[in-house]
Amino acid sequence: MNLIDKHPSTIVHGEDPFNAEPTLGRLGRSFLTPGEFFYARNHASAPEVDPERYRLVVSGLVGESLELSLDDVRGFAKSEVTAVLQCAGNRRDELIEVASMPGETPWKAGAIGNARWAGTPLREVLLAAGIGDEARHVAFVGLDEVEGESGGFNYGGSIPTEKALGPEVLLAYEMNGEPLAPGHGFPLRVVVPGYIGARSVKWVSRIELRRTPSDNHYQANEYRLLPPGAGTNDLSGGFALGETPVNAVICEPESGETLPMGSVTVRGYATAGGGRRIEWVDVSADGGKSWVQAELVEGRDEPWAWSLWEASLDLEQGKHEIVVRAFDSSAVTQPSTAAEVWNPGGYANNSWHRVGVNVG
Amino acid sequence: MNLIDKHPSTIVHGEDPFNAEPTLGRLGRSFLTPGEFFYARNHASAPEVDPERYRLVVSGLVGESLELSLDDVRGFAKSEVTAVLQCAGNRRDELIEVASMPGETPWKAGAIGNARWAGTPLREVLLAAGIGDEARHVAFVGLDEVEGESGGFNYGGSIPTEKALGPEVLLAYEMNGEPLAPGHGFPLRVVVPGYIGARSVKWVSRIELRRTPSDNHYQANEYRLLPPGAGTNDLSGGFALGETPVNAVICEPESGETLPMGSVTVRGYATAGGGRRIEWVDVSADGGKSWVQAELVEGRDEPWAWSLWEASLDLEQGKHEIVVRAFDSSAVTQPSTAAEVWNPGGYANNSWHRVGVNVG
C-alpha cells in the first residue's frame, strides 16, 4: 500500500513497494525537504500501524528488556536534529551507464532529503534498558514485511553501539514539525544521521543489542560495498555500508536544459556524511581544468544537514558540461568519473556530478 | 641541531631544521617503523631538554592550572596505541609536478611512519585540570623555537576538545618500547592519531584550553587546505587541516626499477585517517581499467595504525605503470590524478599512487 502523499512531479520507480524520488529542480529549492518531496525507499508495502496498540520492544544484551508504548517513548525528553538522509543507491543511474545492473533500481540524484527530525534520543532508551558489557551493535526491526524466497520477514539493519550512543541518533516521531507521515515510518522511525538511509529503519518495533551486526538480509547481504571484481553474491571482500562519503549534486540547471547566453546560476546540494563538514564546493565548465568556488548558502552550521550552494558561470554559446565536486573537513574530495567508483551493488556513487546544457 | 639517529639511506630535505624521510623500499618493510627510519618534519632546531628541569604547564579554560614534572606525567596510568603519523605534505612532489610551489619541501611518499606509542592519555591530564564549559580547543606549544620575521616563537597547533578527549590521544614518552629519542620529541610529545602530523607537537611544554583554535602561525596560517584558485596568503576560503584522507602508496617495486618477466609482488601501505578503517586495496597495471584486490597483511585490527598490503601482478615485457587505491569504511576512495587534488599549499595529496617499471 502506498501511504506517501506524493507530488505529481515525483519520479516513481515502483508503486508497491513504493520507491520514488523528486525531480532535482524541486529538491534543491528548499533547505528542509517537504515530506511529499522526500524520497521513499521501501522493500515492502508500508504497514498501517495503530498507535494505541503500537509497542517498541528493547531486548538482547540489556540489563532489563523494555516494552514501551508510544506515550512511553514520548515520555523521554524531546530532542531535535536537522539531518540529511541519503539512499545508498542514490545516483546509481550513472553507475548503470558504466555497466548494467539487472534488477537494481536506477535511482537518479534525488534519493536524498534533508529534514528537521524530532523524537527521543536512542541513547536515552538504551541507557534506560541498560547496555550490556558485550553489546557492540544495535539492531532495528521494522513492521514492514518483505516477501522473501523462503517466506516473509521484517526489514531490519544495525549500527555500532558507539554510533547509537551519539545524541544525534533519534527515535523520531516528527518530521519538519509535523507528526511522521505513514509513508515515512509512522508512528516511529530511527534516524541515523551520517549513515546510509537503509539504517534509519521505519516503523521500528524492535531494538536488539548484540555482539555482532544484525543478520537481517538487508544488513548481511545487501547494502554492501563490494570490490569491482567481486560478484554480487560474493560477500567476502566487501563491507556493510555505514557512513556515507562526501557527495555534491547540481540541481539547477537540469540536464539537457537550454539556457540564454551570459551568466548562469548553478545550484545544488552537498553532503559530507559521518558528521564531517562540507568545507567548500567547486563548479567547473571546462571538465575540471578550472574551478569556481560556490557560495555555501545554507546548512553550514548544522553538522548533520546538507549544504545548499550556488555559483555563477559565464557560458558562451554552444554545448557545455557543468561539473561539481566538494571537499569535506577530513580533506576528502570526490573521484572524477563514475567508472572509478563502480561497484557490483551500485552503491555510494560520489563521482563528480555532470550536467550537459545548451547555451544560446 | 640534528638529534635524529638517521640511517645512511635517509633522504634529507634539510639539515637544520632537520627534515628527512626514508626510502619507500625500506619504509614498507616493517609494520612498526624504527625511529631511525621515521620521517622528521621540523620548523626549528630540535631542542635539548633536561628531563629534571622539564615542566608541562596546563592552563587556560581549566578548573585549576597544573605544572607537572615528567614524573607527575608518568604518574598517570600508562596507555599504548599503535598509530600512523603522516605529514600533511606527504607526496607533495607529485603536486609540484602539476604546478610548482616555490619554497615548499618536495616530500616524496615517505613522510609517514607507524609506531607503538606509550604515555599518558591527554584526557587524563585534562580531566585532572578540569575542563571549562567554554573550552572547545586544546592548544599545544613545543620547546622548539622558530625564527620568524618578527622574532622567534615556539611551534604550536591545536585540536578540538572532542578529539582531545579520545583515549587514543597520548602525551607519549615512549616510541616502539624505547624512551622517545631527542629528535622525536624527548621527553614528551603529543600523538594525535588520525590527524595530520603537524598537530602531534613534539617537545610539548604548554597545553592551553581555549574557545578558539590556536593562533600559532602553524595552526592559523600554515597547514590549511585552500581551494585551487586561492593564493597561499588568502586564508578565507580554506580550512585548517585536521583528519587525514584515505591514502595508499606502493613501496615496492620502486619507480624506475627493472623487473624480470612474470609474477611481480607489489607491496605498500594504506591509511584511512580519522579512525576510519581501510576496507580494501586495489592494484592495477592498466591505468585503473581492471583491478586486483591486494591482501591486507598487517594492521587491519588496529584502528589507528596503517595497513600493509601486498598483491601479485603478471606483467608482460615492456614498460608498465602500476597504480594503487584504497577504499575506507566511510565508502571513500581516492581521486585518480594529482591535478584533481592540487592545492596552493601542496597538502593532503591522496591521488592514486603510480610507479613506472620496466619488465624484461
Side-chain angles (χ1 to χ4, degrees):
Chain A
M1 183 175 178
N2 169 17
L3 298 165
I4 301 278
D5 178 23
K6 73 172 194 288
H7 191 266
S9 67
T10 296
I11 300 161
V12 176
H13 295 290
E15 287 288 355
D16 191 9
F18 185 61
N19 285 296
E21 63 182 304
T23 62
L24 290 178
R26 183 60 192 77
L27 183 65
R29 217 174 293 165
S30 56
F31 178 62
L32 294 181
T33 311
E36 64 172 343
F37 295 108
F38 206 99
Y39 81 98
R41 171 67 179 115
N42 293 301
H43 299 84
S45 299
E48 272 188 287
V49 183
D50 176 352
E52 294 299 319
R53 296 180 55 191
Y54 171 84
R55 294 292 181 275
L56 175 68
V57 173
V58 184
S59 64
L61 300 172
V62 293
E64 177 193 19
S65 294
L66 304 177
E67 187 175 317
L68 305 173
S69 70
L70 207 52
D71 280 346
D72 293 335
V73 173
R74 289 168 173 273
F76 291 87
K78 186 176 174 178
S79 185
E80 296 196 327
V81 65
T82 301
V84 66
L85 292 184
Q86 181 178 197
C87 179
N90 192 33
R91 304 182 57 196
R92 182 183 286 138
D93 63 334
E94 301 160 49
L95 299 178
I96 290 173
E97 281 181 37
V98 176
S100 66
M101 292 175 204
E104 299 287 358
T105 303
W107 293 100
K108 299 173 188 292
I112 187 170
N114 186 60
R116 184 83 181 153
W117 308 96
T120 298
L122 174 61
R123 64 173 282 129
E124 298 306 325
V125 172
L126 298 181
L127 293 173
I131 300 168
D133 287 344
E134 297 194 325
R136 295 290 176 273
H137 297 267
V138 178
F140 312 113
V141 180
L143 289 166
D144 44 339
E145 195 174 322
V146 183
E147 292 170 25
E149 283 173 14
S150 49
F153 67 96
N154 291 85
Y155 181 82
S158 64
I159 60 175
T161 303
E162 195 177 356
K163 174 69 180 175
L165 291 173
E168 73 277 9
V169 180
L170 298 187
L171 297 169
Y173 44 79
E174 286 179 14
M175 178 182 182
N176 295 334
E178 306 277 339
L180 213 52
H184 288 305
F186 176 86
L188 199 68
R189 73 172 296 170
V190 188
V191 171
V192 186
Y195 270 50
I196 62 165
R199 310 307 178 213
S200 288
V201 173
K202 291 177 280 196
W203 312 288
V204 62
S205 71
R206 281 186 283 144
I207 297 175
E208 188 193 6
L209 278 76
R210 300 165 52 93
R211 281 182 197 84
T212 56
S214 169
D215 47 20
N216 188 284
H217 176 69
Y218 293 100
Q219 181 74 37
N221 307 321
E222 302 282 335
Y223 295 114
R224 292 179 67 89
L225 201 70
L226 301 176
T232 46
N233 293 321
D234 172 13
L235 306 179
S236 60
F239 65 99
L241 285 159
E243 289 186 6
T244 54
V246 60
N247 207 346
V249 160
I250 298 164
C251 293
E252 214 181 301
E254 289 195 79
S255 206
E257 270 192 57
T258 296
L259 307 167
M261 271 190 289
S263 179
V264 171
T265 300
V266 186
R267 291 190 180 87
Y269 68 76
T271 168
R276 297 181 289 279
R277 284 160 49 94
I278 289 293
E279 293 288 355
W280 79 74
V281 172
D282 282 327
V283 176
S284 174
D286 61 6
K289 284 193 275 294
S290 67
W291 298 95
V292 171
Q293 203 178 336
E295 187 190 354
L296 300 178
V297 292
E298 217 166 352
R300 193 103 201 302
D301 298 323
E302 297 269 7
W304 303 103
W306 65 12
S307 292
L308 296 186
W309 54 267
E310 65 178 62
S312 289
L313 293 176
D314 281 315
L315 298 181
E316 295 182 0
Q317 194 165 22
K319 284 177 185 283
H320 297 271
E321 186 183 64
I322 306 172
V323 304
V324 66
R325 68 173 187 189
F327 281 77
D328 79 13
S329 52
S330 60
V332 164
T333 191
Q334 307 171 227
S336 56
T337 66
E340 291 170 44
V341 294
W342 191 92
N343 62 91
Y347 295 120
N349 176 16
N350 74 331
S351 58
W352 295 357
H353 191 239
R354 297 162 186 270
V355 164
V357 295
N358 303 303
V359 172
Chain B
M1 184 175 174
N2 168 18
L3 298 166
I4 301 278
D5 178 24
K6 71 173 197 287
H7 192 267
S9 68
T10 296
I11 301 161
V12 176
H13 295 290
E15 285 289 355
D16 192 10
F18 186 60
N19 286 296
E21 63 184 306
T23 61
L24 290 177
R26 183 59 195 76
L27 182 66
R29 217 174 294 165
S30 56
F31 178 62
L32 294 182
T33 311
E36 63 172 344
F37 295 109
F38 206 99
Y39 81 98
R41 172 67 180 116
N42 292 302
H43 299 83
S45 298
E48 272 187 287
V49 183
D50 176 352
E52 294 299 320
R53 296 180 55 193
Y54 171 85
R55 295 292 181 274
L56 175 67
V57 174
V58 184
S59 63
L61 301 172
V62 293
E64 178 191 17
S65 294
L66 304 178
E67 186 174 319
L68 305 175
S69 70
L70 207 52
D71 279 346
D72 293 335
V73 173
R74 289 168 174 274
F76 291 86
K78 185 174 175 179
S79 187
E80 296 196 327
V81 64
T82 301
V84 66
L85 292 185
Q86 181 179 194
C87 179
N90 193 33
R91 302 182 59 197
R92 181 183 285 140
D93 63 334
E94 301 161 51
L95 300 178
I96 289 173
E97 280 181 38
V98 176
S100 67
M101 291 175 204
E104 300 285 358
T105 304
W107 294 100
K108 299 173 188 290
I112 186 170
N114 187 59
R116 183 84 180 153
W117 308 96
T120 298
L122 174 61
R123 65 173 283 130
E124 298 306 324
V125 172
L126 298 181
L127 293 173
I131 301 169
D133 287 344
E134 298 194 326
R136 296 290 175 274
H137 297 267
V138 179
F140 313 113
V141 180
L143 289 167
D144 42 340
E145 194 173 323
V146 183
E147 292 170 26
E149 286 172 15
S150 50
F153 66 96
N154 291 85
Y155 181 82
S158 65
I159 60 174
T161 304
E162 195 178 356
K163 174 66 180 178
L165 290 173
E168 73 277 9
V169 181
L170 296 188
L171 296 169
Y173 44 79
E174 286 179 13
M175 179 182 181
N176 295 334
E178 305 279 339
L180 213 51
H184 288 305
F186 176 85
L188 200 68
R189 73 171 298 170
V190 189
V191 171
V192 187
Y195 270 49
I196 62 165
R199 310 308 178 210
S200 289
V201 173
K202 291 177 281 196
W203 312 288
V204 62
S205 71
R206 282 186 282 144
I207 296 175
E208 187 193 6
L209 278 75
R210 300 167 52 95
R211 282 182 196 85
T212 55
S214 169
D215 46 20
N216 189 284
H217 176 70
Y218 293 99
Q219 182 74 36
N221 307 323
E222 301 283 335
Y223 295 115
R224 293 177 66 89
L225 201 69
L226 301 176
T232 46
N233 292 322
D234 172 12
L235 306 179
S236 61
F239 65 99
L241 285 158
E243 289 186 6
T244 53
V246 59
N247 208 346
V249 160
I250 297 164
C251 293
E252 211 182 303
E254 289 195 79
S255 208
E257 268 192 58
T258 296
L259 306 167
M261 272 191 285
S263 178
V264 172
T265 300
V266 186
R267 292 190 179 86
Y269 68 76
T271 167
R276 297 181 290 278
R277 281 161 51 94
I278 289 294
E279 293 288 355
W280 77 76
V281 172
D282 283 327
V283 176
S284 174
D286 60 6
K289 284 194 276 295
S290 67
W291 298 95
V292 171
Q293 203 178 334
E295 187 190 354
L296 299 178
V297 292
E298 216 164 353
R300 193 101 201 303
D301 298 324
E302 298 269 8
W304 302 105
W306 65 12
S307 292
L308 295 186
W309 53 266
E310 64 177 63
S312 289
L313 294 175
D314 281 315
L315 298 181
E316 294 181 359
Q317 194 165 22
K319 284 179 184 285
H320 297 271
E321 187 182 64
I322 307 172
V323 304
V324 66
R325 69 174 187 188
F327 280 76
D328 79 12
S329 52
S330 60
V332 164
T333 189
Q334 306 171 228
S336 55
T337 66
E340 291 169 45
V341 294
W342 191 93
N343 61 91
Y347 296 120
N349 176 16
N350 73 332
S351 59
W352 295 357
H353 191 239
R354 297 161 186 271
V355 164
V357 295
N358 302 303
V359 172

